[in-house]
Amino acid sequence: MTDFQSWARHTQQRMEQVLDTLLPPADIAPQKLHEAMRYAVLGGGKRVRALLAHAAGELCGAPKEKVDIAASAVELIHAYSLVHDDMPCMDDDDLRRGKPSCHKQYDDATALLVGDALQTLAFQSLATPQLCTHANRQLEMLNLLAIASGSRGMAGGQAIDLASVGKELDQSELEYMHIHKTGALIRAAALLGAYCADDVDAERINAIDHYAQSIGLAFQVVDDILDAEADSETLGKTAGKDAESNKPTYVTILGIDRAKQLAQELLENALTPLASYGEDATRLHQLAQFITQRSF
């Protein structure tokens, strides 16, 4: 088995090629929109959600070509959310993935349309006929991504986030927000990768679900720590933005040391249901370590 860095790099390159093929060429009408869509998606990001989909698919024996489709759908939803989050009416951030945000590189109207188009392209990708043998499974996958992206998932979490600016939240309220804003799409990425297998074992699905819920929260805890400790060059986005915006975070509520301890606890909780799967779960183990220890 190749080491984690080699596997991750290969999977990231693979996903870059898949997304490059999936996105409309920049030289066909409407050229500006297609160019901006490609700008927002390609050439940046760690592809953590795609890595999760592939790691979960590996545990369930899913064909990589099918996982590519599911992973690309999640990456497109994630990219659209970043474009919209950075806009002046949301988090108003000028930097994303080490380059100007989409609305700064183009304009607000184009950025709005980029998000809309990427969202619809994600569902177009997940609806492709070659993804599933059974139509009911594909409908289940489409439903999963829709819920994870909408008002009961990512969009709802963002609404709660915007409404929480300047307010004091307790840990349970903050957790509720991030289960929706960040965790829902991370959970969907892992489950969609698993569902790409022809024969899905219910026990493995439950283990992956438990893992993904814990690692989704851990991802946000670490993000809050990074926002407090790292610089903009390291982050690829504006450092200290949460504090500047007076947003409640795990750091502001718990402090740095307790937040780091919580990330470790969530890591251990994520790995517990994978214990019986041995080497089959190696990539999920490695990815959890990467997510929770990428800064400290």
Side-chain angles (χ1 to χ4, degrees):
M1 179 178 285
T2 57
D3 65 88
F4 174 72
Q5 292 298 333
S6 298
W7 172 82
R9 186 165 53 251
H10 173 77
T11 305
Q12 289 161 343
Q13 292 169 350
R14 180 188 181 98
M15 287 308 306
E16 192 77 6
Q17 293 170 356
V18 170
L19 290 164
D20 180 55
T21 302
L22 183 61
L23 287 159
D27 60 354
I28 66 172
Q31 288 92 338
K32 182 180 179 181
L33 176 59
H34 289 156
E35 178 188 314
M37 288 168 67
R38 299 178 71 85
Y39 177 87
V41 174
L42 300 176
K46 296 180 178 66
R47 308 292 182 207
V48 170
R49 291 153 190 80
L51 292 174
L52 275 167
H54 274 280
E58 200 169 294
L59 176 59
C60 296
K64 289 183 179 180
E65 294 75 15
K66 291 187 176 183
V67 180
D68 285 340
I69 297 171
S72 65
V74 176
E75 283 292 326
L76 290 170
I77 292 288
H78 178 55
Y80 120 68
S81 75
L82 298 182
V83 170
H84 280 188
D85 282 359
D86 289 337
M87 292 183 67
C89 60
M90 293 283 193
D91 290 345
D92 193 15
D93 209 323
D94 295 345
L95 189 66
R96 175 65 66 178
R97 292 176 171 173
K99 59 185 183 181
S101 302
C102 190
H103 72 279
K104 297 299 292 185
Q105 183 70 15
Y106 295 92
D107 51 65
D108 288 2
T110 299
L112 183 66
L113 291 172
V114 164
D116 293 343
L118 291 177
Q119 183 183 47
T120 54
L121 183 59
F123 286 99
Q124 179 184 335
S125 175
L126 201 59
T128 189
Q130 61 264 37
L131 178 61
C132 286
T133 306
H134 305 292
N136 285 344
R137 168 58 54 76
Q138 194 158 7
L139 287 172
E140 185 179 355
M141 294 169 74
L142 286 161
N143 186 59
L144 173 63
L145 185 59
I147 292 173
S149 306
S151 63
R152 289 178 289 168
M154 182 183 69
Q158 175 71 355
I160 296 169
D161 190 18
L162 291 170
S164 300
V165 173
K167 296 182 179 179
E168 291 187 9
L169 303 184
D170 61 29
Q171 186 175 342
S172 63
E173 291 171 324
L174 188 64
E175 183 175 294
Y176 180 84
M177 177 175 76
H178 287 306
I179 284 172
H180 293 78
K181 182 182 176 182
T182 305
L185 196 59
I186 285 177
R187 174 177 178 263
L191 289 175
L192 289 173
Y195 284 145
C196 288
D198 293 331
D199 186 19
V200 185
D201 180 275
E203 289 187 6
R204 293 192 180 218
I205 290 294
N206 289 335
I208 289 169
D209 195 2
H210 181 106
Y211 165 93
Q213 289 183 56
S214 294
I215 215 63
L217 279 177
F219 186 96
Q220 184 59 52
V221 174
V222 174
D223 255 20
D224 286 354
I225 295 168
L226 284 168
D227 188 72
E229 291 192 334
D231 56 29
S232 297
E233 184 177 354
T234 301
L235 292 176
K237 59 183 179 180
T238 306
K241 188 73 176 179
D242 291 342
E244 180 184 321
S245 303
N246 200 21
K247 284 189 174 185
T249 71
Y250 284 100
V251 172
T252 61
I253 289 175
L254 302 176
I256 285 283
D257 290 342
R258 175 63 186 124
K260 289 181 179 180
Q261 184 183 349
L262 177 60
Q264 183 61 33
E265 291 170 1
L266 288 167
L267 169 63
E268 293 169 2
N269 193 41
L271 297 181
T272 298
L274 302 180
S276 62
Y277 295 109
E279 289 190 1
D280 288 349
T282 295
R283 296 307 183 201
L284 286 172
H285 273 266
Q286 293 171 331
L287 194 51
Q289 296 282 351
F290 168 74
I291 287 171
T292 56
Q293 298 176 12
R294 63 193 194 270
S295 62
F296 52 93

